[in-house]
PDB file of all heavy atoms in Angstrom:
ATOM      1  N   LEU A  89      18.799   1.573  -6.586  1.00 97.00           N
ATOM      2  CA  LEU A  89      19.925   1.461  -7.534  1.00 97.00           C
ATOM      3  C   LEU A  89      21.066   2.381  -7.125  1.00 97.00           C
ATOM      4  O   LEU A  89      22.240   1.982  -7.116  1.00 97.00           O
ATOM      5  CB  LEU A  89      19.438   1.824  -8.949  1.00 97.00           C
ATOM      6  CG  LEU A  89      18.543   0.811  -9.630  1.00 97.00           C
ATOM      7  CD1 LEU A  89      17.895   1.414 -10.873  1.00 97.00           C
ATOM      8  CD2 LEU A  89      19.325  -0.459  -9.986  1.00 97.00           C
ATOM      9  N   ASP A  90      20.737   3.619  -6.747  1.00 96.00           N
ATOM     10  CA  ASP A  90      21.750   4.581  -6.323  1.00 96.00           C
ATOM     11  C   ASP A  90      22.518   4.070  -5.100  1.00 96.00           C
ATOM     12  O   ASP A  90      23.679   4.422  -4.892  1.00 96.00           O
ATOM     13  CB  ASP A  90      21.120   5.932  -6.028  1.00 96.00           C
ATOM     14  CG  ASP A  90      20.689   6.674  -7.293  1.00 96.00           C
ATOM     15  OD1 ASP A  90      21.075   6.222  -8.380  1.00 96.00           O
ATOM     16  OD2 ASP A  90      19.947   7.663  -7.172  1.00 96.00           O
ATOM     17  N   HIS A  93      22.035  -1.398  -4.886  1.00 97.00           N
ATOM     18  CA  HIS A  93      21.252  -2.622  -4.883  1.00 97.00           C
ATOM     19  C   HIS A  93      20.867  -3.077  -6.289  1.00 97.00           C
ATOM     20  O   HIS A  93      20.966  -2.285  -7.244  1.00 97.00           O
ATOM     21  CB  HIS A  93      19.980  -2.442  -4.044  1.00 97.00           C
ATOM     22  CG  HIS A  93      20.244  -2.046  -2.619  1.00 97.00           C
ATOM     23  ND1 HIS A  93      20.984  -2.796  -1.750  1.00 97.00           N
ATOM     24  CD2 HIS A  93      19.865  -0.927  -1.929  1.00 97.00           C
ATOM     25  CE1 HIS A  93      21.058  -2.189  -0.573  1.00 97.00           C
ATOM     26  NE2 HIS A  93      20.396  -1.044  -0.658  1.00 97.00           N
ATOM     27  N   VAL A  95      17.730  -4.291  -8.700  1.00 98.00           N
ATOM     28  CA  VAL A  95      16.290  -4.094  -8.684  1.00 98.00           C
ATOM     29  C   VAL A  95      15.625  -4.856  -9.843  1.00 98.00           C
ATOM     30  O   VAL A  95      15.976  -4.650 -11.007  1.00 98.00           O
ATOM     31  CB  VAL A  95      15.912  -2.584  -8.793  1.00 98.00           C
ATOM     32  CG1 VAL A  95      14.389  -2.418  -8.853  1.00 98.00           C
ATOM     33  CG2 VAL A  95      16.476  -1.814  -7.612  1.00 98.00           C
ATOM     34  N   ALA A 107      12.469   1.380 -21.078  1.00 94.00           N
ATOM     35  CA  ALA A 107      12.813   2.643 -20.389  1.00 94.00           C
ATOM     36  C   ALA A 107      13.382   2.351 -18.993  1.00 94.00           C
ATOM     37  O   ALA A 107      14.331   3.005 -18.539  1.00 94.00           O
ATOM     38  CB  ALA A 107      11.573   3.528 -20.278  1.00 94.00           C
ATOM     39  N   PHE A 108      12.825   1.353 -18.334  1.00 95.00           N
ATOM     40  CA  PHE A 108      13.300   1.026 -16.978  1.00 95.00           C
ATOM     41  C   PHE A 108      14.676   0.398 -17.017  1.00 95.00           C
ATOM     42  O   PHE A 108      15.579   0.759 -16.248  1.00 95.00           O
ATOM     43  CB  PHE A 108      12.287   0.105 -16.275  1.00 95.00           C
ATOM     44  CG  PHE A 108      12.688  -0.235 -14.857  1.00 95.00           C
ATOM     45  CD1 PHE A 108      12.799   0.769 -13.900  1.00 95.00           C
ATOM     46  CD2 PHE A 108      12.930  -1.547 -14.472  1.00 95.00           C
ATOM     47  CE1 PHE A 108      13.165   0.485 -12.600  1.00 95.00           C
ATOM     48  CE2 PHE A 108      13.303  -1.834 -13.170  1.00 95.00           C
ATOM     49  CZ  PHE A 108      13.425  -0.826 -12.217  1.00 95.00           C
ATOM     50  N   THR A 109      14.888  -0.524 -17.960  1.00 95.00           N
ATOM     51  CA  THR A 109      16.185  -1.208 -18.083  1.00 95.00           C
ATOM     52  C   THR A 109      17.318  -0.192 -18.358  1.00 95.00           C
ATOM     53  O   THR A 109      18.450  -0.381 -17.894  1.00 95.00           O
ATOM     54  CB  THR A 109      16.121  -2.256 -19.202  1.00 95.00           C
ATOM     55  OG1 THR A 109      15.047  -3.157 -18.933  1.00 95.00           O
ATOM     56  CG2 THR A 109      17.417  -3.056 -19.273  1.00 95.00           C
ATOM     57  N   ALA A 110      16.970   0.854 -19.083  1.00 93.00           N
ATOM     58  CA  ALA A 110      17.975   1.865 -19.449  1.00 93.00           C
ATOM     59  C   ALA A 110      18.538   2.596 -18.231  1.00 93.00           C
ATOM     60  O   ALA A 110      19.621   3.229 -18.329  1.00 93.00           O
ATOM     61  CB  ALA A 110      17.367   2.874 -20.425  1.00 93.00           C
ATOM     62  N   LEU A 111      17.856   2.544 -17.093  1.00 91.00           N
ATOM     63  CA  LEU A 111      18.316   3.226 -15.887  1.00 91.00           C
ATOM     64  C   LEU A 111      19.681   2.702 -15.455  1.00 91.00           C
ATOM     65  O   LEU A 111      20.531   3.463 -14.984  1.00 91.00           O
ATOM     66  CB  LEU A 111      17.336   3.030 -14.725  1.00 91.00           C
ATOM     67  CG  LEU A 111      16.007   3.788 -14.780  1.00 91.00           C
ATOM     68  CD1 LEU A 111      15.136   3.415 -13.588  1.00 91.00           C
ATOM     69  CD2 LEU A 111      16.236   5.298 -14.799  1.00 91.00           C
ATOM     70  N   HIS A 112      19.873   1.384 -15.559  1.00 90.00           N
ATOM     71  CA  HIS A 112      21.147   0.779 -15.098  1.00 90.00           C
ATOM     72  C   HIS A 112      21.191  -0.659 -15.644  1.00 90.00           C
ATOM     73  O   HIS A 112      20.803  -1.600 -14.931  1.00 90.00           O
ATOM     74  CB  HIS A 112      21.234   0.799 -13.577  1.00 90.00           C
ATOM     75  CG  HIS A 112      22.634   0.588 -13.081  1.00 90.00           C
ATOM     76  ND1 HIS A 112      23.361  -0.555 -13.343  1.00 90.00           N
ATOM     77  CD2 HIS A 112      23.441   1.384 -12.338  1.00 90.00           C
ATOM     78  CE1 HIS A 112      24.554  -0.466 -12.759  1.00 90.00           C
ATOM     79  NE2 HIS A 112      24.637   0.714 -12.157  1.00 90.00           N
ATOM     80  N   PRO A 113      21.650  -0.814 -16.885  1.00 86.00           N
ATOM     81  CA  PRO A 113      21.565  -2.134 -17.540  1.00 86.00           C
ATOM     82  C   PRO A 113      22.142  -3.306 -16.734  1.00 86.00           C
ATOM     83  O   PRO A 113      21.690  -4.433 -16.868  1.00 86.00           O
ATOM     84  CB  PRO A 113      22.340  -1.921 -18.845  1.00 86.00           C
ATOM     85  CG  PRO A 113      22.219  -0.454 -19.110  1.00 86.00           C
ATOM     86  CD  PRO A 113      22.216   0.193 -17.766  1.00 86.00           C
ATOM     87  N   GLU A 114      23.149  -3.062 -15.869  1.00 89.00           N
ATOM     88  CA  GLU A 114      23.758  -4.194 -15.149  1.00 89.00           C
ATOM     89  C   GLU A 114      22.883  -4.644 -13.974  1.00 89.00           C
ATOM     90  O   GLU A 114      22.780  -5.829 -13.687  1.00 89.00           O
ATOM     91  CB  GLU A 114      25.144  -3.843 -14.585  1.00 89.00           C
ATOM     92  CG  GLU A 114      26.209  -3.676 -15.668  1.00 89.00           C
ATOM     93  CD  GLU A 114      26.262  -2.236 -16.187  1.00 89.00           C
ATOM     94  OE1 GLU A 114      26.391  -1.320 -15.330  1.00 89.00           O
ATOM     95  OE2 GLU A 114      26.149  -2.040 -17.402  1.00 89.00           O
ATOM     96  N   ARG A 115      22.290  -3.690 -13.230  1.00 95.00           N
ATOM     97  CA  ARG A 115      21.614  -4.042 -12.001  1.00 95.00           C
ATOM     98  C   ARG A 115      20.094  -3.881 -12.060  1.00 95.00           C
ATOM     99  O   ARG A 115      19.408  -3.938 -11.043  1.00 95.00           O
ATOM    100  CB  ARG A 115      22.194  -3.243 -10.816  1.00 95.00           C
ATOM    101  CG  ARG A 115      23.581  -3.733 -10.432  1.00 95.00           C
ATOM    102  CD  ARG A 115      24.078  -3.108  -9.128  1.00 95.00           C
ATOM    103  NE  ARG A 115      24.560  -1.738  -9.330  1.00 95.00           N
ATOM    104  CZ  ARG A 115      23.947  -0.651  -8.870  1.00 95.00           C
ATOM    105  NH1 ARG A 115      22.832  -0.753  -8.197  1.00 95.00           N
ATOM    106  NH2 ARG A 115      24.472   0.544  -9.107  1.00 95.00           N
ATOM    107  N   VAL A 116      19.579  -3.678 -13.266  1.00 97.00           N
ATOM    108  CA  VAL A 116      18.149  -3.536 -13.445  1.00 97.00           C
ATOM    109  C   VAL A 116      17.620  -4.723 -14.243  1.00 97.00           C
ATOM    110  O   VAL A 116      18.209  -5.117 -15.259  1.00 97.00           O
ATOM    111  CB  VAL A 116      17.795  -2.236 -14.194  1.00 97.00           C
ATOM    112  CG1 VAL A 116      16.387  -2.306 -14.807  1.00 97.00           C
ATOM    113  CG2 VAL A 116      17.861  -1.050 -13.261  1.00 97.00           C
ATOM    114  N   HIS A 117      16.550  -5.294 -13.764  1.00 97.00           N
ATOM    115  CA  HIS A 117      15.890  -6.397 -14.486  1.00 97.00           C
ATOM    116  C   HIS A 117      14.404  -6.040 -14.570  1.00 97.00           C
ATOM    117  O   HIS A 117      13.720  -6.005 -13.552  1.00 97.00           O
ATOM    118  CB  HIS A 117      16.070  -7.715 -13.712  1.00 97.00           C
ATOM    119  CG  HIS A 117      17.503  -8.048 -13.454  1.00 97.00           C
ATOM    120  ND1 HIS A 117      18.278  -8.834 -14.303  1.00 97.00           N
ATOM    121  CD2 HIS A 117      18.332  -7.665 -12.437  1.00 97.00           C
ATOM    122  CE1 HIS A 117      19.498  -8.939 -13.806  1.00 97.00           C
ATOM    123  NE2 HIS A 117      19.559  -8.249 -12.687  1.00 97.00           N
TER     124      HIS A 117
END
Side-chain angles (χ1 to χ4, degrees):
L89 288 168
D90 287 349
H93 302 300
V95 177
F108 183 62
T109 305
L111 287 177
H112 197 299
E114 291 88 53
R115 287 189 282 110
V116 160
H117 305 267

